[in-house]
Amino acid sequence: MTAATRVSMSESDWQHANAEYLDRHLERLRLLLERRTLWLRSRWSAGEREQRGLDALDGMAIRDETIDRLFNAESFEDEAGFYGSDATARALGESLEAAARELAQRSGDLAAAGKPAALDVLRTVFNLSPFERDVVVLCAGAGIDPSFTRIFAYLQDDATLRHATAPLALSLFCRDRGQALAARRSFAPDGPLSRYSLVTRDALSQALRIDERVIDYLHGFNRLDERIGELLRPVPPSPEASCHVALATQLEEWLRNKSSHGRWHGINLFGPSGSGRRAMARTLCDRLGLHAYQLDPSRLPPPGRERQDWLRLLAREAVLSQIAPYIDAGEPDPEREPAAVYELLERMPVFFIVGSRSRVPDRKSTRLNSSHLGI
């Protein structure tokens, strides 16, 4: 469907359609959880099922039948066979297929109207796999519907584990061992779920969690995370200097030609004081449809885990809010590198602009392309 033939959709209509689309994803999740419950109950002995009903005794004793079952390792093939042979499981499977068809239809309708669902936008801008998208839904489910937390605890045989975990996600969304092995990479530190702080994993309990900020985005409410808002301030507009027009056009064309899946490398605008580095950054961002925000590296936490968490949050917010961070590096000194600035340049997985008086020294990991500004 071309842009000229798209069906118009008001903001209120989109909000309603987006909410229904998210609800259908949660209904699909509930069907997967229900089917998984059937499978686990088929493996639990009568004694185990009886003990699971005694909350006061839960976890105080482990039955012989439980140990025997645990030694009999769970098999994807056995589980798939159960889903094909059990009548209730088959019915749930048919409902899951119908849900998938409905979701595809709703997704296509929203895209055709030029206003795709927030979940689909999230998947696109962060280049998520279907499994990673489902993990986001799994984690968001607990924040949207509290009943999911008890279901998670029940399926994981731990009353204290009321959050999703990687094993739970793999058991729900993977059909065979090969899929599960490939999907495990989604939880790596350099995967998009962790790299952009879409989902975090507790080091002690291994629980997967999602920020309210992401849940709000899925509901269609896009707001800048307050924690990151403390580090950023909008770059104000300035009169466009005639000497910069040609350079801005050249940089815009170069970036659009070099775009890879809508992603660009960083730009280093360097020149003496008064050359208009910050104004040029704002002009370029306006042309690219981005919001220029100046980042003050001195306000970052000290080096360590907390700083890494903030950098992941910054990357996430840059993508969700279409922000291009502008970093004033001053006078870069290769002998005494400004640690915070270079850490930003090396770890920022989004488009950014660095302003400096002289060219930032080349480093493979910075991905900077430099342009000189005269006066």
Side-chain angles (χ1 to χ4, degrees), residues 174 210 244 356:
C174 297
I210 192 169
H244 291 162
S356 56

Side-chain angles (χ1 to χ4, degrees), residues 13 44 204 220 240 259 312 321 353:
D13 286 342
W44 293 333
L204 183 61
E240 193 174 77
S259 172
R312 284 190 285 269
S321 298
I353 302 174

